[in-house]
C-alpha cells in the first residue's frame, strides 16, 4: 500500500488494515510512526524522505524485514533502536546524518544495506557476516577490510578507497 508523495499526515485510517504487509509513506510530511506500530503483519516500511526521527514506536514490531529510512531524520541515537529488529534483511540509511554505524553489527540477518552519502566515522562500520549487498556510494568508506566475505554486490564510487584497497577485492569470491 502506498501513499508516497501525498500530503497525508495522519495514518489513523490504516489501523483497520490488520493484514497490511507493505507500506510506503515516502516523501510525505509524516513525522511519527506511532500509527504504523498498530499494523501487526507489516513486513516492509518505506519512510524515506520523511521527517521521521525516532524508531521507538516500532520497537514491538517483530515482523519487519525491510526498512527504508533514506533522507529521514534518523540519527545515531535512533540507530541504536535497530537492535529491536534482529530479523531485518534490508536497510536503507542513505543520506542520513549518521556518524556511528556500529549498531549495524547486531543485525544478524541483514543482507542489503544502503549507506550512500553518509559521512560516518570509518572505524565505526561493523557489518554482519550475512551482508550480501552494500551501497556505500559517496560515503566515508575507506577500507574493504571490514566487509564480510559474503558480499556479492558492492557500490563504492565516490569513496576514499585507494587502488591498493581495491586490489583486496579478490577475497570476495561472489562479486
Amino acid at each position: 500500500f502506498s501513499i508516497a508523495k501525498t500530503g497525508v499526515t495522519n495514518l489513523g485510517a490504516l489501523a483497520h488494515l490488520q493484514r497490511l504487509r507493505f507500506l510506503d509513506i515516502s516523501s510525505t510530511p509524516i513525522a511519527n510512526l506511532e500509527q504504523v506500530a498498530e499494523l501487526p503483519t507489516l513486513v516492509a516500511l518505506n519512510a524515506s524522505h520523511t521527517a521521521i526521527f525516532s524508531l521507538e514506536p516500532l520497537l514491538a514490531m517483530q515482523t519487519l524485514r525491510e526498512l527504508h529510512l533514506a533522507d529521514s531524520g534518523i540519527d545515531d541515537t535512533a540507530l541504536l533502536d535497530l537492535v529491536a529488529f534482529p530479523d531485518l534483511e534490508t536497510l536503507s540509511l542513505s543520506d542520513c546524518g549518521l556518524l556511528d554505524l556500529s549498531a549495524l553489527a547486531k543485525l544478524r540477518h541483514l543482507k542489503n544495506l544502503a549507506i550512500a552519502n553518509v559521512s560516518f566515522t570509518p572505524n565505526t562500520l561493523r557489518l554482519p557476516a550475512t551482508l550480501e549487498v552494500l551501497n556505500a556510494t559517496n560515503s566515508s568508506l575507506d577500507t574493504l577490510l571490514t566487509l564480510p566475505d559474503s558480499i556479492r554486490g558492492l557500490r563504492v564510487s565516490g569513496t576514499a578507497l585507494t587502488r591498493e584497497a581495491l586490489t583486496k577485492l579478490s577475497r570476495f569470491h561472489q562479486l
Side-chain angles (χ1 to χ4, degrees):
F1 185 75
S2 176
I3 58 169
K5 298 181 181 179
T6 66
V8 173
T9 59
N10 187 311
L11 299 173
L14 299 180
H16 70 282
L17 301 175
Q18 293 295 298
R19 293 184 181 174
L20 190 65
R21 294 178 48 84
F22 305 95
L23 179 59
D24 184 350
I25 60 171
S26 63
S27 300
T28 63
I30 294 170
N32 189 307
L33 295 173
E34 284 180 19
Q35 293 157 330
V36 172
E38 298 172 18
L39 302 171
T41 59
L42 197 65
V43 174
L45 173 63
N46 185 349
S48 296
H49 311 288
T50 63
I52 301 297
F53 62 90
S54 173
L55 299 176
E56 191 172 339
L58 304 180
L59 293 181
M61 296 185 74
Q62 295 299 306
T63 56
L64 275 180
R65 300 292 179 267
E66 190 172 321
L67 189 55
H68 298 273
L69 300 166
D71 193 26
S72 66
I74 296 299
D75 62 11
D76 292 341
T77 303
L79 199 60
L80 295 174
D81 288 336
L82 286 175
V83 298
F85 311 110
D87 295 328
L88 205 59
E89 295 177 359
T90 299
L91 178 61
S92 175
L93 298 169
S94 296
D95 297 296
C96 288
L98 302 168
L99 294 175
D100 186 351
L101 299 181
S102 57
L104 298 176
K106 296 178 180 163
L107 300 175
R108 295 190 178 125
H109 296 281
L110 192 64
K111 293 179 181 176
N112 300 290
L113 176 63
I115 53 171
N117 302 309
V118 175
S119 297
F120 59 90
T121 306
N123 64 353
T124 68
L125 185 62
R126 307 275 186 277
L127 299 171
T130 55
L131 194 68
E132 296 176 0
V133 178
L134 175 64
N135 177 357
T137 304
N138 297 319
S139 72
S140 4
L141 184 69
D142 63 355
T143 181
L144 296 175
L145 297 177
T146 59
L147 300 182
D149 292 337
S150 57
I151 288 287
R152 60 179 176 76
L154 185 60
R155 296 182 72 185
V156 294
S157 59
T159 63
L161 289 174
T162 63
R163 180 181 168 148
E164 181 183 336
L166 292 176
T167 62
K168 299 188 185 335
L169 285 175
S170 63
R171 79 172 239 251
F172 301 105
H173 303 288
Q174 297 180 36
L175 275 179

